[in-house]
């Protein structure tokens, strides 16, 4: 049975992260009653991810500052998740850090699930929802990207040449993106991602200790871990089965609930079965186009479409564009990135 938890479930990770966000709000002279409006669980109760999301929404609204999400990100990692946070802080290089972050994401970054991939000379870290918060998505992405950038700079002793892609239009004011992330930004992409040359992955960091990193990772593996959020677990499930035409009935059974209950849970997380499946299919198609140079026929076959025309129609429904313009845009993005490899 697939392990998962809902946004309404008590979560020690949400409580830890909520406490950090509360301290930041207080430092900006916001009142606890306003910061916790609609989400205070009481002194003896565990915070839920849903309450943590509400608190973040309150904080962003009350402070009404373009730097809030970025400043919250500065304090997010390595966090206070026991051995997992220690393992993150002991990472001897970027590859180990990203693998550790993805392995223990339910405690380290409970609201967004990071996924790490590489191809050719490119390393990619992209983010998917764990609990669903459409209105907060831009702020959450800024927060988590900033957290990774800041942690890498702290451990590596220098700013890494990250490039950033955002699945939204450009904001009216972009200054804070430049301050906290850098100037290499792309908006209007199909996913929220961070890229850099893969040559940076295995460069040893100052004061790195392979033994300390190994012991820290072993300790983290021995500690009990929270289940991931429903949408994070669902994304991983669909990604592993995207070629098998997953159905609601089979999926619900694997998640240990009835189809009706699973549908209700997805609605409570502001999504639905087809929407999540379409997102995974989109991401797989983008990967095949860009990383493997696949054409429409190959991608259609991979995703189980027997008719390429049907795949093109479906792809346009998923992304708003047919595969041709997307493939051209991806080629342009890769060219934009590759042109900077020599300067990294």
């Amino acid at each position: 049975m697939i392990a998962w938890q809902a946004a309404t479930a008590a979560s020690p990770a949400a409580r830890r992260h909520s406490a950090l966000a509360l301290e930041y709000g207080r430092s900006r002279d916001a009142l606890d009653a306003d910061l916790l409006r609609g989400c205070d669980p009481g002194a003896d109760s565990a915070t839920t991810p849903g309450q943590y999301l509400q608190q973040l929404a309150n904080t962003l609204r009350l402070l009404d500052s373009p730097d809030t999400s970025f400043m919250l990100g500065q304090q997010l990692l390595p966090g206070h998740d026991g051995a997992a946070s220690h393992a993150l802080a002991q990472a001897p290089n970027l590859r180990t850090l990203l693998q550790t972050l993805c392995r223990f994401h339910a405690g380290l970054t409970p609201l967004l699930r990071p996924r790490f991939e590489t191809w050719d000379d490119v390393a990619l870290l992209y983010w998917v929802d764990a609990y669903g918060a459409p209105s907060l998505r831009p702020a959450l992405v800024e927060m988590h990207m900033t957290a990774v950038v800041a942690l890498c700079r702290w451990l590596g002793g220098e700013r890494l040449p990250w490039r950033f892609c955002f699945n939204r239009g450009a904001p009216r004011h972009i200054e804070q993106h430049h301050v906290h992330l850098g100037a290499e930004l792309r908006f209007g992409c199909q996913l929220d991602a961070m890229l850099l040359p893969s040559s940076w992955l295995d460069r040893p960091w100052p004061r790195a200790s392979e033994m300390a990193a190994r012991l820290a990772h072993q300790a983290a593996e021995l500690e009990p871990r929270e289940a991931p959020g429903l949408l994070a677990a669902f994304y991983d499930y669909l990604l592993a089965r995207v070629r098998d035409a997953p159905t609601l009935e089979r999926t619900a059974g694997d998640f240990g609930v009835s189809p009706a209950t699973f549908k209700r849970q997805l609605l409570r997380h502001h999504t639905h079965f087809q929407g999540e499946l379409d997102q995974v299919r989109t991401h797989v198609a983008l990967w095949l186009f860009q990383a493997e140079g696949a054409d429409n026929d190959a991608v259609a076959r991979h995703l189980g479409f027997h008719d390429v025309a049907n795949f093109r129609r479906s792809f346009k429904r998923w992304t708003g564009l047919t595969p041709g313009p997307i493939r051209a845009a991806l080629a342009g993005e890769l060219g934009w990135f590759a042109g900077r490899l020599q300067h990294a």
Side-chain angles (χ1 to χ4, degrees), residues 10-29:
S11 166
R15 187 166 183 83
R16 289 191 299 270
H17 287 279
S18 171
L20 290 175
L22 182 62
E23 285 302 315
Y24 179 75
R26 288 168 174 167
S27 74
R28 294 296 183 95
D29 299 324

Side-chain angles (χ1 to χ4, degrees), residues 2-6 9-13 49 105-107 110 130-131 224-230 232-233:
I2 307 299
W4 62 280
Q5 67 176 355
S11 166
H105 67 89
Y131 293 101
R225 296 200 298 273
E226 286 189 52
L230 171 60

Side-chain angles (χ1 to χ4, degrees), residues 6-323:
T8 54
S11 166
R15 187 166 183 83
R16 289 191 299 270
H17 287 279
S18 171
L20 290 175
L22 182 62
E23 285 302 315
Y24 179 75
R26 288 168 174 167
S27 74
R28 294 296 183 95
D29 299 324
L31 300 177
D32 285 17
D34 295 325
L35 292 168
L36 298 174
R37 190 176 304 279
C39 57
D40 186 0
D44 299 323
S45 301
T47 306
T48 69
Q51 289 167 331
Y52 176 33
L53 285 166
Q54 181 60 55
Q55 180 188 336
L56 288 177
N58 293 343
T59 303
L60 292 164
R61 176 178 53 80
L62 289 167
L63 301 187
D64 192 25
S65 172
D67 73 345
T68 300
S69 59
F70 300 96
M71 297 305 295
L72 288 170
Q74 291 281 350
Q75 65 181 19
L76 185 64
L77 296 175
H80 301 277
D81 191 34
S85 290
H86 184 57
L88 203 62
Q90 290 295 323
N93 54 48
L94 179 59
R95 185 187 300 274
T96 303
L97 183 145
L98 297 180
Q99 291 172 339
T100 302
L101 181 65
C102 293
R103 174 72 172 164
F104 302 106
H105 67 89
L108 295 170
T109 59
L111 300 183
L112 293 185
R113 194 265 199 259
R115 294 195 62 91
F116 169 48
E117 304 285 353
T118 61
W119 81 95
D120 296 336
D121 296 323
V122 180
L124 170 75
L125 184 72
Y126 71 99
W127 303 89
V128 297
D129 283 326
Y131 293 101
S135 64
L136 288 181
R137 174 77 187 195
L140 291 178
V141 168
E142 293 162 359
M143 179 176 162
H144 287 72
M145 286 184 173
T146 300
V148 172
V149 169
L151 181 60
C152 290
R153 190 169 189 175
W154 175 52
L155 292 175
E158 59 184 323
R159 192 162 192 163
L160 303 189
W162 291 106
R163 322 296 175 188
F164 303 89
C165 297
F166 298 92
N167 186 16
R168 68 179 196 271
R172 290 182 59 191
H173 303 288
I174 204 168
E175 294 83 2
Q176 293 300 323
H177 289 75
H178 290 158
V179 170
H180 295 280
L181 301 180
E184 299 294 349
L185 311 169
R186 284 289 188 275
F187 295 91
C189 304
Q190 295 297 322
L191 76 170
D192 295 299
M194 307 166 62
L195 305 90
L196 87 169
S198 58
S199 58
W200 285 82
L201 290 174
D202 299 308
R203 296 187 186 188
W205 281 341
R207 302 179 302 280
S209 167
E210 292 287 349
M211 179 176 292
R214 184 167 60 254
L215 292 173
H217 187 85
Q218 290 173 354
E221 289 288 357
L222 292 174
E223 280 194 348
R225 296 200 298 273
E226 286 189 52
L230 171 60
L231 300 189
F234 190 25
Y235 185 97
D236 289 351
Y237 176 91
L238 291 174
L239 189 62
R241 297 162 177 81
V242 70
R243 304 187 70 177
D244 301 327
T247 64
L248 173 62
E249 291 71 21
R250 174 64 184 273
T251 302
D254 289 340
F255 275 70
V257 297
S258 70
T261 297
F262 197 66
K263 285 177 66 175
R264 285 195 298 271
Q265 285 289 349
L266 291 175
L267 286 173
R268 290 169 183 161
H269 289 73
H270 311 287
T271 188
H272 51 85
F273 184 90
Q274 192 63 49
E276 293 302 300
L277 179 58
D278 289 349
Q279 174 185 237
V280 171
R281 285 172 166 168
T282 299
H283 290 174
V284 170
L286 294 173
W287 173 262
L288 293 172
F289 284 145
Q290 187 158 6
E292 300 188 12
D295 59 17
N296 289 351
D297 289 344
V299 176
R301 287 195 303 272
H302 185 94
L303 294 178
F305 288 88
H306 301 293
D307 184 294
V308 176
N310 188 30
F311 164 68
R312 285 198 295 267
R313 287 192 296 270
S314 296
F315 190 86
K316 185 173 183 179
R317 176 170 56 82
W318 305 338
T319 67
L321 293 170
T322 57

